[in-house]
Amino acid sequence: MRLLNTSFNKNRGDPPKLEEFFGSDIPPYAILSHTWGREEVTFQDLASSTEPPYHHAGFAKLRGCCTRAGRDGYKYVWIDTCCIDKTSSAELSEAINSMYKWYQLAEICYAYLSDVITADIPDDMQLAGRFKASRWFTRGWTLQELIAPPFVEFYAEDWTEIGTRSSHREELSIITGIDIRVLGGENPAICNVAERFSWAASRATTRLEDGAYSLLGIFQVHMPLLYGEGERAIIRLQEEIFKTTEDYTLFA
């Protein structure tokens, strides 16, 4: 598992540094949940020996996450944009099949809602409206990122905290359709297969196949990635699920 050291200092010219860990050597870490924007900082940007990616639009998000994690006492953070070498199909497949577990094992997840801007919000009612309307609730990958971690904190665009999964639990259940017990930390498997699929019904992914791959952890299954297979990915996911359960709501 590759983690980003949170202790770099841009003012000293320190580049963000990635470190790799295995098995029991993996240290405590925080993890980021977010929606991708333009000019995200990638693994290649950090692995390059040239100038650090301070000019990238996504660098402010990376630095904000590292600052928040550092203040919370974490030396390391996992961010999908830069901690996975997406040019390696083998590494990408391993990462996607491991991602639910990585979110589970994180000590805290920072859910960064880049489209919730608090500076011009006069009251809590308008903040609640912006929170509910955030793009973060429409993306496929953020479903497991909401469910898997032991603790989730929500942050607005300026890294102002706007609540936790626990404090917003009832509202989150209404927004997402997720059983409130699951938002309280219970295993998603307490809900039948059809109900778990329904949580993803209104969510979208950039690549069609990711609509299936983003649900692997929700159903506790693993399968190889075959980008280009299109809707066949959902069929393969259903086949893998049926190997582990006789829940016939799968075919509802």
Side-chain angles (χ1 to χ4, degrees):
M1 183 182 196
R2 196 177 287 118
L3 295 170
L4 179 64
N5 193 307
T6 63
S7 62
F8 72 92
N9 188 322
K10 177 186 175 183
N11 296 329
R12 293 198 307 262
D14 298 343
K17 180 183 177 184
L18 291 168
E19 300 180 35
E20 199 156 4
F21 301 92
F22 300 94
S24 60
D25 290 332
I26 297 173
Y29 62 93
I31 201 163
L32 179 68
S33 174
H34 67 117
T35 57
W36 280 47
R38 64 185 184 89
E39 291 188 331
E40 295 286 1
V41 178
T42 67
F43 169 78
Q44 282 69 32
D45 292 325
L46 298 188
S48 172
S49 59
T50 58
E51 182 181 355
Y54 298 147
H55 61 286
H56 282 39
F59 181 77
K61 176 167 54 178
L62 181 150
R63 181 173 59 179
C65 181
C66 287
T67 298
R68 178 68 268 164
R71 287 175 180 168
D72 288 342
Y74 296 103
K75 186 178 179 181
Y76 296 101
V77 67
W78 189 88
I79 303 175
D80 62 340
T81 53
C82 62
C83 291
I84 304 171
D85 180 2
K86 296 177 181 65
T87 65
S88 167
S89 57
E91 180 172 331
L92 181 60
S93 181
E94 179 184 0
I96 287 178
N97 276 276
S98 302
M99 204 170 294
Y100 191 92
K101 180 177 70 174
W102 290 347
Y103 275 88
Q104 273 186 319
L105 295 177
E107 295 201 350
I108 188 170
C109 175
Y110 304 129
Y112 180 69
L113 279 53
S114 59
D115 52 357
V116 176
I117 300 171
T118 59
D120 60 347
I121 298 177
D123 54 47
D124 290 344
M125 185 173 294
Q126 288 201 19
L127 175 59
R130 294 251 181 115
F131 179 78
K132 179 180 180 180
S134 176
R135 180 172 177 264
W136 189 86
F137 291 108
T138 71
R139 307 306 296 168
W141 289 105
T142 56
L143 174 60
Q144 66 175 2
E145 296 163 12
L146 173 61
I147 291 172
F151 191 72
V152 179
E153 288 181 346
F154 290 95
Y155 288 88
E157 180 268 345
D158 62 354
W159 285 96
T160 298
E161 185 180 338
I162 52 176
T164 68
R165 185 179 62 196
S166 178
S167 67
H168 284 298
R169 189 166 58 171
E170 292 185 4
E171 182 181 4
L172 287 168
S173 183
I174 294 170
I175 294 170
T176 64
I178 299 171
D179 190 300
I180 199 166
R181 296 172 297 168
V182 175
L183 293 172
E186 293 198 39
N187 192 317
I190 64 171
C191 300
N192 66 42
V193 170
E195 183 173 357
R196 280 178 276 170
F197 264 115
S198 74
W199 302 338
S202 61
R203 293 172 179 262
T205 55
T206 302
R207 301 191 68 166
L208 180 62
E209 297 87 350
D210 283 336
Y213 304 157
S214 63
L215 297 176
L216 294 177
I218 298 289
F219 292 105
Q220 300 174 22
V221 297
H222 300 279
M223 67 185 199
L225 311 189
L226 298 172
Y227 282 108
E229 67 176 324
E231 293 181 356
R232 172 65 185 164
I234 287 290
I235 296 172
R236 287 202 299 125
L237 173 62
Q238 291 173 330
E239 290 171 347
E240 291 300 318
I241 294 169
F242 198 61
K243 291 176 184 177
T244 67
T245 180
E246 293 186 359
D247 182 348
Y248 290 97
T249 65
L250 171 63
F251 303 107

